[in-house]
Amino acid sequence: MRNIIILFIVGLAISVSSCREDFQFEASTGDLTFSKDTVYLDTVFTNIGSSTYTLKVYNKSDKDIKIPTIQLGKGQDSKYRMTVDGMVGENNRVFHDVELLAKDSMYIFIEVTTDVASANPTDFLYTDQIQFDSGDNFQKVELVTLIQDAYFLYPKRFSDGTTETLNIDGIEEPVYGFFLDENDPVNGNEYNWNNDKPYVVYGFAAVPNGKTLTVQPGAKIHFHAESGLIVGNGGSFKAVGTIENNIIFEGDRLEPDFSDVPGQWETIWLTAGSTGNEIENVIIKNAIVGLNIDSNDGNFMTIKNTQIYNSSLAGIYAKTAKIQGENIVVNYGGVAALACTLGGSYDFKHCTFNNNWSSSRQVAVLLNNYYEDENGSNVAFDLTQADFKNCIIYGSNTYELKLDPDTTEDFNYSFTKCLIKFGSTTDALYSWIYDNPLIKRNEDPKFLNIQNNQLNIDEDSAARDFGDNVGVANDILGNPRNAPYDAGAYNWTTFED
């Protein structure tokens, strides 16, 4: 009986389907509706392709329709490209007889690659339209893109098809990169980065022995994926901006969705022996490691009024380095906001190290003086000093400070008038944190907005009035410091303003 019922159902389905007529599509009457009337494709660099943007087209009528044409207004000359419901049409620019069922919708995906010469010379906008049908049934959606010109720095390609590479101590394979050129035929002197238009770097730009890279106030540097800057032994890096004109280092994805995405580019790497490095009024965003600092030339390098955000490993990763830091703000790091490893010598005043990375293993500050070799033995170095004065060390975990010493070598540190996030422990290494008038433990700094990298402190912050005069006259915004002094890089009054 069951088999008879199944056969009956199958036969009925076949008979119904055999009687069904094909869809009858009528010509479009110009009554399409759209998810937006203008598609704004975010700013792109000249000749660099954009992300893909979406337009949804609706047929809200009760009839199946056929749209005679969907095309870009500039036709085959348009710098835009699109696909319509997965179809590529004529060179992704013109489509004929596009069918759309009643009460249904379809997606159009749009991209652009163009140059500043194609844009409007007064506002650098490149525009076009997606046009639907013609005559009385004509409809359109506007397309708008801002084109930004730039200096492009990248490895040379040789006649045999190979590209320029760099050999770097400690790395077995050559690195995709190039040495900057004082007399580049297109960019001019590549050891002087100006602020008249952005720089876009592909691969690692390198500064060799005896050369100095100078970055002007207000310059904007964008690194492509797996790219960065290397300052070699004997080379120098001077990025000194002003409070009004910060120097910015970030990735080359300009879309808002990428504004706070960690790990978009590699690092600024100051290798062992680099000399005379200065970093002041600088913002570094969305790198794997913001500043990768190896052992210096024996002298302290300075980092002042510098902000480092959203690093997938560490904001500052120092190895046997010598750093004097003032008014540094580091927020979000996959391992640490600040990692001072393999010993070294450090002096930080009025700095804010915060880490709200979404894991239970990251810390705001890590101090270490050894590494483990291939035989499992520690190779230790002197931590000559690691002094923190008027600093905030905070974050989302219970313990935001990690001390990791090898006691066969010096491991010297001090924390004076610092606000530190740290829970309870029986480890004697941290006994100095408790009942210490120079430390505020687990008291809230009350940052303005951690997620948006706004680490200004509130009037009720535990960091307010807790500091001493340590000789740093102004806060990170240039506001004068007066007694009583606040801990961290910001005066609380900058929040109020």
Side-chain angles (χ1 to χ4, degrees), residues 166-365:
L166 298 168
N167 293 309
I168 300 173
D169 291 342
I171 299 179
E172 294 182 1
E173 297 294 328
V175 172
Y176 180 67
F178 58 99
F179 288 109
L180 297 171
D181 187 345
E182 286 178 308
N183 299 294
D184 184 85
V186 176
N187 299 321
N189 184 2
E190 294 179 340
Y191 288 105
N192 186 25
W193 288 1
N194 301 305
N195 58 16
D196 56 337
K197 57 184 178 180
Y199 287 76
V200 182
V201 180
Y202 290 82
F204 275 90
V207 181
N209 181 30
K211 298 295 183 181
T212 298
L213 171 61
T214 301
V215 186
Q216 301 296 330
K220 295 182 179 180
I221 318 302
H222 300 266
F223 295 99
H224 194 62
E226 301 181 355
S227 301
L229 174 67
I230 297 176
V231 182
N233 185 2
S236 298
F237 173 59
K238 296 185 183 299
V240 180
T242 65
I243 291 172
E244 296 78 16
N245 288 291
N246 281 285
I247 296 167
I248 300 176
F249 297 91
E250 61 182 328
D252 65 348
R253 299 297 299 269
L254 303 183
E255 307 91 323
D257 287 347
F258 286 84
S259 62
D260 294 312
V261 176
Q264 295 181 44
W265 55 285
E266 292 285 333
T267 188
I268 297 172
W269 186 3
L270 309 179
T271 67
S274 61
T275 181
N277 300 315
E278 297 178 47
I279 298 173
E280 186 170 352
N281 291 305
V282 167
I283 298 172
I284 301 171
K285 297 172 54 181
N286 308 330
I288 294 175
V289 175
L291 288 173
N292 186 358
I293 305 172
D294 286 341
S295 55
N296 311 94
D297 61 351
N299 298 308
F300 278 94
M301 69 163 292
T302 59
I303 306 174
K304 297 180 180 180
N305 294 356
T306 291
Q307 304 166 60
I308 305 176
Y309 301 131
N310 308 319
S311 306
S312 59
L313 288 182
I316 299 176
Y317 178 30
K319 303 177 287 297
T320 326
K322 302 186 75 173
I323 300 172
Q324 289 179 329
E326 298 176 2
N327 290 335
I328 299 173
V329 177
V330 185
N331 193 29
Y332 286 108
V335 175
L338 168 69
C340 299
T341 69
L342 310 186
S345 189
Y346 308 95
D347 184 18
F348 293 106
K349 300 173 182 177
H350 282 290
C351 295
T352 300
F353 302 111
N354 186 75
N355 204 350
N356 276 55
W357 195 271
S358 57
S359 80
S360 60
R361 293 175 294 185
Q362 90 286 337
V363 295
V365 172

Side-chain angles (χ1 to χ4, degrees), residues 98-128:
V98 179
E99 298 173 347
L100 184 56
L101 296 175
K103 305 295 185 183
D104 202 356
S105 61
M106 65 182 177
Y107 285 98
I108 297 179
F109 297 101
I110 309 119
E111 299 174 341
V112 65
T113 303
T114 187
D115 55 27
V116 73
S118 300
N120 186 325
T122 60
D123 55 18
F124 300 104
L125 293 177
Y126 181 73
T127 61
D128 201 346

Side-chain angles (χ1 to χ4, degrees), residues 377-411:
S377 299
N378 285 356
V379 178
F381 305 81
D382 285 334
L383 180 62
T384 306
Q385 71 176 94
D387 295 336
F388 295 79
K389 303 178 183 75
N390 296 358
C391 293
I392 299 174
I393 299 170
Y394 212 77
S396 55
N397 282 341
T398 303
Y399 304 93
E400 288 294 347
L401 171 65
K402 183 176 182 180
L403 306 178
D404 184 25
D406 183 306
T407 56
T408 63
E409 300 292 343
D410 287 344
F411 194 76

